[in-house]
Amino acid sequence: MKNIENFVSELLSATENAPELLLQDLCAIQQRYSYIPENAVEILASKLNLPAVQIYGVIDFYSFLHRKARGTFDILFSDNITDRMLGNQSLIDSLCEKLDIEPGTPRIDGRVTVSVTSCTGICDQGPALLVNGMTVSGLNEERISKIAELIEEDTPLSDWPASFFVVEDNIQRSDILLDDKIINGSAIESLQKNGSDALLEILEQSGLRGRGGAGFKTALKWRFCRDTDSDQHYVVCNADEGEPGTFKDRILLNSYADNVCEGMTLCAGIIGAKKGYIYLRGEYRYLLDDLEQTLQKRRDANLLGKNICGHEGFDFDIDIHLGAGAYICGEESSLIESLEGKRGIPRKRPPFPVTNGFCNQPTVVNNVETFVAAAKIAVFGADWYGSVGSSESTGTKLLSISGDCARPGIYEYPFGVSIEQVLEDCGAHDTQAVQVAGAAGSTVPAQEFHRSIAFEDLSTGGSFMIFNQQRDMLEMVQNFCHFFCHESCGFCTPCRVGGALMKDLVDKVMVGHATHNDLKEMENIGQIMQQNSHCGLGVTAPKPVLDTLEKFPQIYMQRLANRGFEPAFDLDAALEESRQITGRDDAEAHIEYEPLLNTAGQDES
Amino acid sequence: MTEMTDNTVNESGEKQKPRIATAALCGCFGCHMSFLDIDERILQLVELVEFDRSPITDIKEVGPCDIGLIEGGVANAENVEVLRDFRRHCKILVAVGACAVNGGVPAMRNQFELKECLVEAYINGIGVENPQIPDDPEIPLLLDKVHPVHEVVKIDYFLPGCPPSADTLWTFLNEILAGEEITFPYSLIHYD
Ligand SMILES: Cc1cc2nc3c(=O)[nH]c(=O)nc-3n(C[C@H](O)[C@H](O)[C@H](O)COP(=O)(O)O)c2cc1C
Ligand code: SF4
């Protein structure tokens, strides 16, 4: 116990008791102890001058923070549909059996917990898991057996085979963005040479639009932020990459980190920011040390810090903040809340972050890929960038390709490329559908494969999941509905309740108990969510259902119960617990199934 | 939408009044109390309708009806039985109030295991004498969770509110009896 108190006190004095570092402190405590002990909360509360309930509120919000110990080894299997397609479920069963545990429950001896988590961004090299936050890729029975042994032997993670932790970049096709990296400092030089007005002009001419999905014009965002009067401006790199099936920021952070920082520094120079943050999703903790090293090297080379590249008064530095397993924190206003150490609840917009962002100051939030593109444009010019792509969407897009194809991985394409072309290049055959832009994206059936990747057609943050003819598309829908239900921040009713109802109804379809009325209800709920949700999560959450109801109706129809109404749950089974508790088994302790009960006064259509 | 059918004519050739039944499942009777808040308009109502099973009439078994009003959620085996009986007998079945629509306050126990609730109430509760969990066959068994009524039978209309106000109920009944579309002024369906 003394030990915990010392650890927390040291942690806090190192960070000068800054309340906005609460989440970072909690991540450190979680990492050290596998949970947040009560006495740690007490110390945090008194030193940071926060009510304990607020700290518990933060702990309960983030999936990777726990109030109860997870054990020496905390294992989280990535549970995206692509992991499932690669057979993660039998591997989970197998590991649980070997360790003699139930998923989600810590083993009695405090050694290990095994559960699942949302997509960890290793879809091209899955199935994957996180062990104490570190990524293990390429799982198979052999690896699982070895992992079970290592756990039973209590082998520290540092002594596990290094090959387990290898995550390749896996770049299958490169174009202007990935082809060559810019020389460190060259974008900063360009800014100094041209001045910020001219550089904003260049960015504008290049037509660069945000790569996080929404496609807002980058030059415009930076200009709005610069023109907002304030002492402090901030640059934030959105490295939350939470959209299922997206993993392109992973390779940029791994192999193009200097270019990412260069883009952020460029932005800082233009908007007048002294401070920047990389918000790194907790799932990418394995990249943290290398990123810190990159930042240190840049400080040593005077590319960060005071008087950058010798330019008097150009001061800028970057900190990395870790996320803790919350998809909603990719939404820029939640991300800012999270950066401030709070629960990631989306803010009301307007005001937008460009005027009222981090600590209520003007803030630019951009995707990782956007910063890399901006840095390159500053060096190579607008024409170079605008020479590829389509009219509305200049330049290229990184696609993270996974699912049923011979060569999953990263593909960089000029905007305007057709789905057909992409499928051919990655060796996909017999394709039934492509899910473009992740769980929140569009389900594209084969007859629409002529469509193209571009803001004016299929807009995407980069997720591209392929499903062949053998796949049951309802499994995808079910996976995504569970994902959204789990990831809803709970702030507004349409998403919190609607998402849960939708999930239950899809489950009902899956087991063959749904009726036509249930399908109508799904459409109805979907519309309510789209029209009334507070943020983009709730607006897009019903999309997998609505898209497939329209484009793949047979996956629902073939499973419908041939009746006007079916209860939402098994009535007799719902009495089982009571029967166990009371020991009763008389006739009244059962409920008979009555299929034709509901004939009076009903419309069956 | 489910329509009221034409009133039938009885043996003596008179037009029969529509029959209404009401029941409270797992709720607090607050919706019924709110219903009584229509006050003197109840005299108009009895001109318009005939009451079947309801706390007002004390009839215990529901017969063939035009409209059934259900208050409360589904928490035990008896609730299921009553609800099904209503569905069998009522042309139009209406979920009245938050508990019927969502499970409401009783559904707060869904956060816990049933066993925990029973132990808290009958074993560890303050002032409990002769602690034991009741197992008498006379007492309906509890479902493991409390459910809204539409998860057990088909429901035709939902009247939200905790409780729906007397005016809401009155408006609804008048509209449905007149065969009109159900619409409410905003003041009757906003809750904050
Ligand atoms: C639920 C939700 C999740 C999001 N997740 C991400 C994300 O992981 N990465 C990202 O760059 N943008 C994400 N966004 C978009 C951001 O809100 C924001 O638009 C983006 O970071 C802006 O950067 P850009 O202009 O460079 O695209 C998300 C949006 C929503 C509504
Ligand atoms: S839509 Fe969902 S994620 Fe967004 S604020 Fe509402 S509950 Fe939270």
Side-chain angles (χ1 to χ4, degrees):
Chain A
M1 280 295 139
K2 202 85 225 116
N3 172 357
I4 294 172
E5 282 161 24
N6 289 342
F7 180 82
V8 178
S9 297
E10 274 169 33
L11 189 69
L12 289 179
S13 54
T15 55
E16 294 169 2
N17 296 341
E20 72 272 16
L21 291 179
L22 172 64
L23 177 58
Q24 302 310 304
D25 297 333
L26 291 172
C27 288
I29 298 167
Q30 172 72 38
Q31 189 69 8
R32 174 72 178 70
Y33 294 101
S34 91
Y35 74 122
I36 317 289
E38 256 176 57
N39 52 342
V41 174
E42 280 165 26
I43 303 171
L44 285 165
S46 79
K47 294 248 164 109
L48 303 184
N49 201 16
L50 295 170
V53 283
Q54 186 175 330
I55 298 174
Y56 283 120
V58 173
I59 296 171
D60 292 346
F61 184 84
Y62 293 95
S63 296
F64 291 176
L65 303 178
H66 301 276
R67 295 207 210 185
K68 294 212 174 85
R70 307 280 289 177
T72 319
F73 299 96
D74 185 4
I75 294 198
L76 293 170
F77 277 85
S78 177
D79 200 22
N80 187 26
I81 184 66
T82 52
D83 295 286
R84 291 198 175 187
M85 285 155 66
L86 291 166
N88 75 334
Q89 280 170 317
S90 69
L91 298 175
I92 297 170
D93 291 346
S94 164
L95 185 62
C96 284
E97 192 182 316
K98 289 188 169 71
L99 296 170
D100 194 18
I101 47 175
E102 289 289 317
T105 317
R107 203 162 78 175
I108 305 279
D109 64 357
R111 178 68 59 82
V112 55
T113 304
V114 174
S115 11
V116 291
T117 187
S118 303
C119 181
T120 59
I122 313 291
C123 320
D124 58 329
Q125 292 158 65
L129 60 73
L130 300 171
V131 51
N132 299 350
M134 303 307 272
T135 299
V136 178
S137 63
L139 295 176
N140 51 30
E141 269 301 334
E142 200 183 321
R143 278 201 174 176
I144 291 293
S145 301
K146 184 70 190 157
I147 288 171
E149 274 172 38
L150 291 163
I151 291 171
E152 293 297 4
E153 290 159 4
D154 206 6
T155 311
L157 227 51
S158 50
D159 294 340
W160 286 30
S163 59
F164 282 21
F165 300 99
V166 173
V167 180
E168 306 281 355
D169 280 353
N170 197 9
I171 297 172
Q172 299 281 347
R173 185 186 196 282
S174 63
D175 210 302
I176 59 171
L177 193 79
L178 296 178
D179 267 346
D180 24 39
K181 297 171 191 168
I182 54 166
I183 299 162
N184 283 342
S186 53
I188 299 168
E189 279 318 308
S190 168
L191 171 62
Q192 296 302 336
K193 202 172 78 209
N194 295 303
S196 72
D197 282 328
L199 243 165
L200 277 177
E201 196 61 36
I202 293 171
L203 268 185
E204 193 153 341
Q205 278 167 18
S206 76
L208 178 63
R209 295 169 67 169
R211 296 306 194 235
F216 193 80
K217 291 211 165 77
T218 307
L220 202 58
K221 187 184 277 188
W222 292 13
R223 196 187 294 279
F224 279 146
C225 187
R226 183 189 73 160
D227 294 346
T228 304
D229 218 15
S230 174
D231 298 342
Q232 296 288 343
H233 291 71
Y234 293 98
V235 181
V236 175
C237 174
N238 188 344
D240 196 53
E241 189 149 73
E243 193 59 55
T246 319
F247 48 88
K248 47 103 190 165
D249 294 340
R250 180 190 91 203
I251 65 119
L252 294 176
L253 296 162
N254 188 44
S255 298
Y256 295 75
D258 259 308
N259 287 190
V260 177
C261 297
E262 187 93 12
M264 291 177 72
T265 313
L266 174 74
C267 177
I270 290 176
I271 66 171
K274 303 261 172 271
K275 183 91 204 171
Y277 293 95
I278 297 175
Y279 187 88
L280 183 67
R281 69 188 309 226
E283 291 82 346
Y284 289 171
R285 177 182 275 276
Y286 78 99
L287 294 170
L288 185 59
D289 285 349
D290 284 355
L291 282 172
E292 292 285 9
Q293 272 182 34
T294 302
L295 292 178
Q296 194 49 49
K297 279 194 207 137
R298 289 183 72 86
R299 286 182 198 116
D300 296 344
N302 193 221
L303 294 165
L304 283 176
K306 294 236 174 290
N307 304 325
I308 289 173
C309 296
H311 298 288
E312 195 62 35
F314 185 7
D315 304 341
F316 178 66
D317 211 330
I318 298 174
D319 275 352
I320 302 173
H321 272 216
L322 274 176
Y327 165 68
I328 187 59
C329 290
E331 193 282 331
E332 56 186 9
S333 68
S334 314
L335 185 152
I336 289 169
E337 288 284 300
S338 182
L339 267 186
E340 292 177 1
K342 304 182 203 150
R343 297 155 63 91
I345 307 281
R347 291 178 178 173
K348 229 192 273 167
R349 303 182 321 161
F352 292 93
V354 279
T355 59
N356 301 69
F358 183 63
C359 296
N360 206 27
Q361 304 302 312
T363 304
V364 162
V365 181
N366 273 131
N367 177 253
V368 179
E369 190 181 344
T370 313
F371 281 119
V372 175
K376 293 198 88 163
I377 292 166
V379 176
F380 298 124
D383 293 343
W384 164 81
Y385 198 72
S387 64
V388 296
S390 67
S391 58
E392 296 288 307
S393 325
T394 53
T396 62
K397 184 77 196 85
L398 298 184
L399 298 181
S400 322
I401 296 186
S402 63
D404 294 315
C405 64
R407 293 174 294 280
I410 297 295
Y411 289 72
E412 182 185 0
Y413 281 105
F415 270 116
V417 66
S418 69
I419 305 266
E420 255 153 7
Q421 182 69 52
V422 177
L423 289 174
E424 193 182 320
D425 294 352
C426 68
H429 303 291
D430 211 12
T431 305
Q432 179 180 187
V434 178
Q435 183 72 13
V436 177
S442 313
T443 313
V444 184
Q447 60 273 24
E448 295 179 22
F449 286 171
H450 57 274
R451 294 179 63 185
S452 57
I453 302 291
F455 292 112
E456 62 272 25
D457 191 355
L458 289 164
S459 166
T460 174
S463 176
F464 193 100
M465 294 180 269
I466 303 169
F467 298 83
N468 70 20
Q469 294 293 350
Q470 277 69 55
R471 298 292 175 186
D472 178 353
M473 295 304 290
L474 196 66
E475 284 181 10
M476 177 198 81
V477 176
Q478 191 180 31
N479 182 262
F480 292 166
C481 284
H482 281 250
F483 165 78
F484 283 121
C485 185
H486 179 258
E487 298 296 343
S488 165
C489 83
F491 174 76
C492 71
T493 312
C495 168
R496 182 187 65 247
V497 176
L501 294 176
M502 200 67 123
K503 177 198 73 159
D504 288 348
L505 284 168
V506 170
D507 289 351
K508 193 177 176 188
V509 175
M510 198 51 135
V511 294
H513 284 298
T515 64
H516 270 287
N517 279 319
D518 290 314
L519 298 190
K520 278 205 298 196
E521 188 63 8
M522 288 162 85
E523 270 179 24
N524 188 16
I525 293 169
Q527 275 163 17
I528 291 172
M529 292 174 75
Q530 286 188 325
Q531 286 161 14
N532 300 290
S533 291
H534 175 64
C535 85
L537 191 153
V539 172
T540 49
K543 218 153 168 256
V545 171
L546 297 178
D547 268 13
T548 47
L549 272 174
E550 185 192 331
K551 296 184 175 156
F552 293 87
Q554 71 282 7
I555 64 175
Y556 297 89
M557 294 306 173
Q558 71 199 18
R559 289 182 160 89
L560 289 192
N562 192 17
R563 286 180 283 277
F565 180 88
E566 272 278 298
F569 61 102
D570 180 338
L571 291 157
D572 189 56
L575 286 182
E576 183 54 30
E577 204 180 334
S578 265
R579 284 191 292 264
Q580 299 274 338
I581 296 170
T582 58
R584 282 178 52 187
D585 197 24
D586 51 287
E588 302 295 312
H590 288 274
I591 300 175
E592 271 178 52
Y593 179 66
E594 284 197 27
L596 294 175
L597 175 74
N598 307 285
T599 45
Q602 290 172 39
D603 53 335
E604 303 255 325
S605 57
Chain B
M1 189 169 93
T2 309
E3 303 277 341
M4 285 279 297
T5 40
D6 276 344
N7 293 345
T8 42
V9 175
N10 73 6
E11 290 136 29
S12 41
E14 297 163 2
K15 252 194 155 196
Q16 269 191 346
K17 289 194 270 185
R19 292 183 74 82
I20 292 190
T22 77
L25 307 180
C26 188
C28 68
F29 271 96
C31 297
H32 276 83
M33 299 306 287
S34 185
F35 187 25
L36 292 181
D37 282 342
I38 63 174
D39 296 335
E40 76 285 356
R41 287 173 287 184
I42 199 155
L43 298 175
Q44 277 169 266
L45 190 62
V46 291
E47 290 295 312
L48 286 172
V49 302
E50 198 79 51
F51 273 95
D52 193 88
R53 174 185 161 150
S54 168
I56 297 171
T57 57
D58 213 23
I59 299 173
K60 303 293 187 204
E61 298 279 328
V62 62
C65 279
D66 296 287
I67 302 170
L69 303 177
I70 302 284
E71 164 189 348
V74 185
N76 65 30
E78 190 206 15
N79 295 156
V80 173
E81 199 183 303
V82 172
L83 182 57
R84 283 175 159 185
D85 217 20
F86 265 68
R87 181 69 278 181
R88 275 187 217 101
H89 288 97
C90 301
K91 290 182 189 144
I92 294 170
L93 201 54
V94 188
V96 179
C99 300
V101 175
N102 301 314
V105 171
M108 286 172 80
R109 79 155 155 95
N110 292 357
Q111 309 274 345
F112 305 92
E113 304 266 315
L114 179 58
K115 179 104 188 228
E116 288 177 87
C117 302
L118 291 170
V119 167
E120 180 67 25
Y122 294 105
I123 309 282
N124 296 334
I126 297 165
V128 171
E129 282 185 36
N130 184 19
Q132 60 171 27
I133 293 173
D135 59 359
D136 193 309
E138 289 283 307
I139 301 172
L141 281 187
L142 293 173
L143 301 179
D144 52 2
K145 304 282 177 216
V146 179
H147 292 265
V149 290
H150 68 267
E151 291 191 358
V152 178
V153 298
K154 171 85 165 55
I155 295 294
D156 304 301
Y157 292 95
F158 297 84
L159 288 180
C162 185
S165 66
D167 285 342
T168 308
L169 289 159
W170 178 248
T171 307
F172 173 77
L173 285 174
N174 275 292
E175 287 170 342
I176 199 144
L177 290 170
E180 290 167 6
E181 196 188 334
I182 309 298
T183 53
F184 295 101
Y186 182 65
S187 60
L188 290 186
I189 46 165
H190 94 108
Y191 303 97
D192 50 5

